[in-house]
């Protein structure tokens, strides 16, 4: 191979640093007897100028210290010439290779140095790789390698007044002809090369290190967003939408080329949902089309981003989804949204973000409520979507789409609506089946038989409520449990329209959770209960409690159940960890965390732990091994994480496995539909036990009045004055008195719609019709009398009679 022309930097590869007007032999390991030839060339270098251009690597070659160039066995395939340097591609039977020579003052030769090379030198980083093409520029200095978006230029754009012709000199870097904005916002290379961390910090780009200064990027795009000149705004928008996004590839050439997926969402026009066709959806489609390798990098970068950035991504695609649903033309009666590709892209990107959010170590990056679409039930017929999801999913192709496949969008109102839909479907199915089985009895048996067929009726006494309930529930199969529940307290007159059922659950749960049974252990720090490790109670009792919880949620009755959140995580099949243990015992959790945080090498001496734990059981200390031979295995710096994992697993899982399994079986005997898959653990907990997010002003706003009462009536004004002066405990007692529970439903205070009506004789106490949240409030003349009578009434909230 021969070369000639400009050679002042050694780019001709002939050991000389001078121009050549005739072809010169390119020296390298592709020549036979390469070392001998190199020595001859070296001896010809007599001038000091020539000698000083010989690199240290060349001297090593001459001295025989570099064995990889001593064989002369490779074949020179091609030369890629730049202005002051060149690359040579060879075919090497062993590991292939690329050589470079010439000017290296900017590091462009790839040798991790800035030395010139007058002989071709192997690029070690490319050993073993198959290189087919190399593009050489001139010198590639950092300042002129590519144009980049800078804060200074964005501030200049921000300073241009609106409705003023833009001076081309302002928005160009090199000349008035060479447009700066149009170049940088049309080029992936320019965007990817912008906002890099200073110095060498942006090198070694990988899935764990993108090398971008995100704060700088945010400041730049914020300055651009403040630019009021429409020419500048339109130019950038058109470049991004019509050029830049169209160049995105599903298989980018390297990791650095993926930086654009981190940078572009900072562009302020991504926050405008009306740009969905030009910006957000093409961007989202590009993400979904990435190869698995490239997708994993973007996935990692998004998951490692700040909470603010992550929330911005969620908000961008939530907004376009809301906008697309809003502008869809739907049948008003069915509210069925016609699916299109843009809706699918928005949903799939939100699914990706939700999965990342759930996998975030130590809890979610943003609250799960961030993904909610509160207006969805108003725009979409969710019950119809759920029915299709349940009935068609098993027979339709994978192309069938349902909003129920994206349950993270549903807020409490949506999920309550779907729970009601599932309940109605299951109850109607159970009633139809029971009616078919009991058809002859219905003809001849009269109303009482019909009631037994259509309802799950429990008749209990207050004195033996647990035994009566157990005896009767054993008679019913799972089909009967899906019927609407009605409760009758023997010896009492009231008919169950909801209120009797509420008190039944209240009294029953209070009884079965009583410490006298020893079924549950209460942790003093948190007042939470957990399954007892040494209970002698039969598994049937745990099954009963699970069954009652299932009946409660199925009949939309809030119950008092002081289990921590981790119970509901286990019910939904979610893994539990050390952070969940804190819901029972913060002290135990802190102790284990201190072990994990300890970095000394003397863990054995400091903590003195083995793979075992001890428990006091009825005055006797029992030792449990966390693994075979655990009593002889000390906890060390190397195995402490295993110890903590096994310890937590024993406390939350293995030690109570039989009790929890019985509880879960009882719960799932009623609530075994697919509707549970739509719930987060926190939401399932709120659906069963309610919450304490009280808003007393909203309670007043939502109250209705009958038979002459109104919000401006003097007695009503006195009532609310008295009510708002009550303590929190007294207000909770009022809720218990009026509604049968002192907690509020998952959808909030607005679900407790109370009604107040007058009675004439002010000698009587206020009366609560718990079934209907109806309060009979006499027309008390004074505030003092109203307060006295109301406080007397709320102290007596048990028992029913006809009034």
């Amino acid at each position: 191979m021969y070369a000639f022309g400009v050679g002042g930097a050694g780019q001709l590869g002939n050991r000389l640093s001078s121009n050549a007007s005739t072809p010169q032999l390119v020296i390298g390991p592709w020549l036979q007897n390469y070392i001998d030839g190199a020595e001859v060339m070296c001896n010809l270098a007599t001038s000091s100028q020539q000698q000083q251009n010989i690199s240290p690597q060349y001297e090593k070659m001459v001295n025989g210290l570099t064995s990889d160039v001593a064989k002369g066995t490779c074949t020179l395939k091609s030369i890629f010439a730049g202005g002051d340097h060149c690359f040579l591609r060879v075919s090497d039977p062993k590991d292939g290779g690329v050589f470079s020579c010439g000017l290296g003052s900017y590091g462009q030769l790839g040798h991790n140095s800035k030395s010139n090379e007058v002989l071709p030198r192997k690029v070690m980083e490319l050993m073993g790789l198959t290189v087919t093409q190399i593009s050489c520029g001139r010198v590639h200095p950092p300042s002129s390698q590519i144009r980049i978006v800078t804060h200074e230029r964005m501030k200049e754009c921000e300073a241009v007044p609106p409705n003023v012709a833009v001076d081309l000199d302002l928005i160009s870097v090199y000349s008035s002809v060479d447009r700066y904005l149009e170049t940088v916002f049309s080029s992936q290379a320019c965007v990817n090369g912008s906002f890099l961390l200073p110095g060498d910090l942006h090198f070694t780009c990988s899935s764990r290190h993108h090398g971008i200064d995100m704060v700088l990027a945010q400041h730049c795009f914020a300055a651009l967003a403040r630019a009021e000149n429409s020419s500048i705004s339109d130019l950038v928008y058109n470049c991004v939408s019509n050029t830049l996004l169209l160049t995105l590839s599903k298989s980018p050439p390297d990791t650095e080329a993926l930086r654009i997926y981190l940078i572009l969402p900072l562009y302020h026009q991504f926050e405008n949902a009306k740009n969905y066709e030009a910006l957000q959806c093409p961007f989202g489609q590009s993400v979904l089309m990435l190869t698995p390798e490239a997708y994993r990098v973007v996935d990692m970068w998004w998951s490692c981003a700040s909470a603010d950035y992550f929330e911005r991504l969620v908000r961008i695609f939530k907004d376009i989804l809301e906008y697309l649903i809003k502008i869809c033309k739907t049948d008003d009666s069915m509210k069925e949204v016609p699916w299109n590709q843009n809706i699918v892209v928005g949903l799939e990107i939100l699914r990706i973000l939700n999965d990342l959010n759930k996998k975030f170590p130590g809890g979610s990056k943003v609250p799960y409520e961030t993904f909610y679409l509160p207006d969805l039930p108003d725009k979409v017929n969710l019950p119809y979507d759920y029915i299709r999801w349940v009935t068609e999913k098993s027979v339709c192709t994978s192309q069938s789409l349902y909003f129920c496949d994206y349950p993270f969008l549903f807020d409490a109102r949506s999920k309550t609506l779907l729970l009601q839909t599932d309940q109605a479907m299951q109850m109607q199915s159970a009633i139809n089946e029971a009616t078919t089985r009991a058809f002859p009895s219905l003809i001849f048996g009269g109303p009482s038989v019909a009631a037994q067929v259509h309802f799950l009726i429990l008749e209990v006494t207050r004195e033996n409520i647990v035994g009566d309930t157990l005896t009767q529930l054993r008679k019913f199969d799972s089909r009967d449990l899906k019927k609407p529940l009605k409760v009758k307290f023997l010896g009492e007159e009231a008919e169950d329209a909801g209120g009797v059922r509420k008190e039944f659950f209240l009294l029953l749960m209070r009884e079965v959770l009583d410490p006298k049974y020893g079924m549950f252990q209460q942790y003093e720090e948190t007042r939470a209960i957990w399954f007892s490790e040494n209970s002698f109670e039969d598994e049937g009792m745990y099954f009963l409690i699970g069954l009652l919880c299932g009946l409660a949620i199925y009949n939309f009755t809030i119950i008092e159940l002081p289990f921590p959140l981790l119970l509901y995580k286990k019910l939904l099949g979610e893994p539990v960890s050390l952070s969940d243990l804190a819901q029972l015992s913060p002290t135990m959790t802190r102790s284990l965390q201190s072990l994990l945080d300890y970095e000394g090498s003397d863990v054995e001496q400091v903590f003195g732990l083995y793979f075992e734990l001890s428990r006091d059981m009825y005055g006797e200390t029992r030792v449990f091994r966390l693994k075979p031979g655990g009593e002889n295995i000390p906890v060390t710096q190397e195995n402490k994480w295993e110890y903590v994992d096994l310890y937590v697993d024993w406390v939350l899982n293995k030690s109570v496995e039989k009790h929890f399994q019985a509880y879960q079986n009882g719960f799932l005997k009623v609530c075994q539909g697919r509707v549970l898959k739509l719930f987060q653990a926190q939401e399932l907990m709120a659906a069963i036990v309610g919450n304490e997010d009280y808003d007393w002003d909203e309670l007043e706003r939502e109250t209705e009045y009958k038979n002459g009462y109104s919000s401006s009536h003097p007695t009503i004004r006195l009532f609310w004055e008295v009510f708002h002066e009550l303590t929190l405990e007294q207000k909770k007692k009022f809720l218990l008195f009026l509604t049968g529970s002192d907690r509020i439903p998952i959808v909030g205070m607005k679900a407790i719609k109370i009604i107040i009506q007058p009675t004439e004789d002010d000698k009587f106490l206020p009366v609560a019709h718990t079934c209907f949240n109806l309060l009979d409030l006499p027309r008390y003349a004074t505030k003092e009398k109203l307060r006295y009578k109301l406080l007397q009434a709320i102290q007596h909230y048990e028992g029913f009679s006809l009034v």
Side-chain angles (χ1 to χ4, degrees), residues 65-92:
L65 299 178
T66 306
S67 61
D68 64 345
V69 298
K71 296 183 179 180
T73 56
C74 60
T75 303
L76 183 58
K77 303 292 290 185
S78 53
I79 294 179
F80 303 95
D84 292 316
H85 67 297
C86 69
F87 282 81
L88 303 95
R89 184 172 64 90
V90 302
S91 174
D92 188 327

Side-chain angles (χ1 to χ4, degrees), residues 25 43 65 81 143 160 205 232 242 309 396 402 437 442 502 519 553 559 604 610 620 625 646 674 686 688 774:
L25 186 66
N43 291 331
L65 299 178
S143 61
V160 178
C205 181
I232 293 175
N242 297 332
Y309 178 88
C396 286
Y402 313 92
R437 295 199 312 265
L442 285 173
K502 292 178 186 177
M519 296 175 61
I553 191 174
I559 60 176
E604 294 180 58
Y610 290 81
E620 178 184 350
R625 290 179 295 181
L646 291 174
R674 293 174 61 187
I688 294 176
L774 175 64

